[in-house]
Amino acid sequence: MYQETVIDLELFVAPDVLSLLNRIGGFLSGRGTQSYLVGGFVRSLFLERETADIDIAVTGDALSTARRVADYLGGTYVLLDEGNGIARVVLSAAVSPTGAPMELDFSTLRGDIKEDLFCRDFTADAMAFKLGAANRFSLSNLIDPLNGHQDARARILRAVNDTVFHADPARLLRAVR
């Protein structure tokens, strides 16, 4: 009898960053806020690159959530886009777990997480991990409705849909970058 073997790829996250993500996930879930690690940070995990920029999509109001996280972590709150519900928490080197400055960008989920991922620009950025008190970043926990992890590994840049550049022409610049 044939039995398929499935290998669950565990992605490496530096221990200090993992600790920070666990703190944030535990803090937010303790306040009834669902949160997801999204975008470039997730893509960078598959490319085995380090990054100090972390994108987190949350249920509810991302602006007030970011302000609470800034207070909790001793960071600085920065409003980026009030209309679209986007804010940043800047962790100085003094309070960052890595000893280097970090930026945490918070956005309000557009619908549920899968709907939100379909609104992103590229498939390699349309992946997410649910944050919680004890995260494990592996393929079995990955939310990836567009198979972005395969595109990231193959270094293929594919638009999520045909309208992403009409919705935001600046995405063309991101594609080149």
Side-chain angles (χ1 to χ4, degrees):
M1 177 192 255
Y2 172 77
Q3 186 174 21
E4 184 176 341
T5 302
V6 177
I7 298 173
D8 188 21
L9 175 67
E10 182 87 23
L11 301 169
F12 175 76
V13 179
D16 47 3
V17 175
L18 182 60
S19 174
L20 173 67
L21 294 173
N22 285 334
R23 284 182 62 203
I24 294 169
F27 176 78
L28 294 177
S29 65
R31 281 147 188 79
T33 301
Q34 291 182 20
S35 57
Y36 299 87
L37 187 60
V38 296
F41 185 85
V42 178
R43 178 191 65 236
S44 292
L45 290 177
F46 284 95
L47 296 175
E48 299 177 353
R49 290 185 196 156
E50 288 187 28
T51 180
D53 300 326
I54 297 173
D55 299 318
I56 300 171
V58 298
T59 57
D61 180 14
L63 304 182
S64 63
T65 299
R67 190 176 299 280
R68 287 193 317 268
V69 170
D71 291 342
Y72 173 67
L73 297 175
T76 303
Y77 171 86
V78 179
L79 175 64
L80 295 179
D81 185 341
E82 187 172 15
N84 288 310
I86 302 171
R88 176 172 290 162
V89 174
V90 179
L91 300 179
S92 68
V95 298
S96 168
T98 65
M102 295 181 76
E103 295 179 350
L104 311 168
D105 287 350
F106 289 82
S107 62
T108 303
L109 276 173
R110 295 164 282 193
D112 66 19
I113 186 60
K114 288 187 180 174
E115 290 174 274
D116 187 85
L117 295 176
F118 275 96
C119 293
R120 295 189 177 271
D121 47 10
F122 305 106
T123 57
D125 290 326
M127 301 181 283
F129 286 107
K130 186 169 178 42
L131 287 179
N135 287 307
R136 204 174 138 254
F137 297 104
S138 65
L139 280 181
S140 64
N141 296 331
L142 181 67
I143 303 165
D144 185 13
L146 298 164
N147 292 316
H149 78 282
Q150 292 173 346
D151 285 350
R153 288 267 186 197
R155 295 184 171 10
I156 294 172
L157 195 59
R158 189 184 324 265
V160 167
N161 61 53
D162 294 336
T163 65
V164 296
F165 302 118
H166 295 289
D168 183 359
R171 289 174 167 166
L172 289 168
L173 298 174
R174 286 191 61 217
V176 173
R177 185 187 56 160

